[in-house]
Amino acid sequence: MKKLIGIIFAVLSAVFLIPVAATVFLSFYSEGGFTLECYNDLLFDCFVFYPMFWNSVLYAAAITLIQLPVVILCAFGFTWAKFRGKGILFIFYIVLMMMPLQVTILPNYIGLRDMGLINTQWGIILPMIFSPFGAVVMHQYMKGTDSSVIEAARLETNSVFRVILVSVIPQLRVCIFAVVLFVFAECWNMVEQPMLFLNDKGLKTISVFISESGSYAGAVLFPAAVIFLIPVLLLYLFFSDSLEKGLTLGELS
């Protein structure tokens, strides 16, 4: 039975890997043979690709680094703080997380327009900082922390920030790595926000470049897609053990 389950999962894994393998294959294939011409078209003849790539790195890294303390504080409040309406507020977070992006894109656009942040980098970064996904996931992890350690820390200090730094974060180190990977991947894959909130091509991202690849000279789609895969793949390989442990802890909690 275990062998059969292993075979089934191996087949499913192969099916999911087929598009990735096809993308890599087609990035080296042109006019009936294998060549580096596609990468030459992208890297040496399509210079607009470079600012878009680094814009994606900037947005994803900035959002992840700024969102992380917000996520930890929100999760700590939902787990340990006592205030009226906490359960209803958390349900609202879950509902907001489950809403399709198309539902929230117009309110975000109106808010950014009124603040004068359309066609700015902060127009992309600011809404994503307060995305509910990270807070909900971190809350699930935080429910499994040792409450006695937190109570001991509260006897030593009245500072909430010190309690979080000393007793909460060390227990959630593995889970934080998992959340960082989730948040970075979500930000890296943004398409609608840069397309709708940005007009200046110099501020747009690699995902927009891929969606508009037909307007550029040369076969740049597949090599750009391969390069697009690399940062998230490297993060996954680097944090794979932490991700596995974090997901296990999330299931147990």
Side-chain angles (χ1 to χ4, degrees):
M1 187 63 181
K2 290 183 178 180
K3 290 184 178 179
L4 178 60
I5 294 175
I7 292 174
I8 293 174
F9 277 105
V11 172
L12 291 175
S13 300
V15 170
F16 280 107
L17 286 174
I18 288 174
V20 178
T23 300
V24 175
F25 173 81
L26 291 173
S27 70
F28 291 100
Y29 186 84
S30 178
E31 297 180 357
F34 288 95
T35 177
L36 294 176
E37 183 179 350
C38 297
Y39 285 92
N40 181 74
D41 292 340
L42 176 68
L43 300 177
F44 298 103
D45 294 330
C46 191
F47 295 107
V48 70
F49 168 79
Y50 291 100
M52 289 186 171
F53 174 83
W54 289 114
N55 284 338
S56 291
V57 174
L58 172 64
Y59 295 143
I63 293 169
T64 302
L65 292 176
I66 301 174
Q67 186 182 138
L68 186 59
V70 175
V71 163
I72 294 174
L73 290 174
C74 287
F76 183 83
F78 281 126
T79 306
W80 300 106
K82 297 180 180 180
F83 58 90
R84 184 175 300 177
K86 182 175 73 172
I88 297 176
L89 182 60
F90 186 70
I91 292 175
F92 175 75
Y93 260 66
I94 295 176
V95 172
L96 187 61
M97 181 184 70
M98 296 175 65
M99 281 185 178
L101 177 64
Q102 291 77 10
V103 175
T104 60
I105 202 78
L106 180 58
N108 282 335
Y109 182 89
I110 294 174
L112 293 172
R113 181 199 63 190
D114 293 344
M115 291 188 291
L117 295 178
I118 295 295
N119 199 37
T120 66
Q121 293 176 331
W122 281 108
I124 299 297
I125 296 173
L126 191 60
M128 293 296 294
I129 290 175
F130 302 100
S131 174
F133 173 77
V136 172
V137 174
M138 184 63 72
H139 170 63
Q140 294 301 115
Y141 291 147
M142 198 170 290
K143 290 193 300 184
T145 56
D146 187 353
S147 59
S148 62
V149 176
I150 297 175
E151 293 298 331
R154 292 178 63 185
L155 295 175
E156 296 291 333
T157 178
N158 291 325
S159 172
V160 175
F161 295 104
R162 185 169 177 80
V163 170
I164 293 173
L165 288 173
V166 172
S167 62
V168 176
I169 292 180
Q171 295 187 67
L172 295 176
R173 189 173 301 168
V174 172
C175 303
I176 289 173
F177 289 147
V179 171
V180 164
L181 181 56
F182 290 144
V183 173
F184 185 90
E186 180 186 16
C187 299
W188 184 257
N189 292 323
M190 287 188 301
V191 179
E192 290 89 350
Q193 296 94 321
M195 290 183 69
L196 298 174
F197 298 163
L198 299 175
N199 299 319
D200 187 355
K201 185 172 292 187
L203 297 175
K204 293 186 178 182
T205 61
I206 185 175
S207 56
V208 176
F209 176 88
I210 292 174
S211 68
E212 299 175 348
S213 59
S215 62
Y216 300 107
V220 299
L221 172 60
F222 291 109
V226 171
I227 295 175
F228 180 77
L229 294 171
I230 292 175
V232 175
L233 179 61
L234 290 177
L235 277 178
Y236 172 77
L237 293 175
F238 187 76
F239 292 122
S240 58
D241 293 338
S242 299
L243 178 62
E244 182 179 353
K245 294 177 182 177
L247 290 174
T248 303
L249 180 58
E251 293 173 358
L252 293 176
S253 61

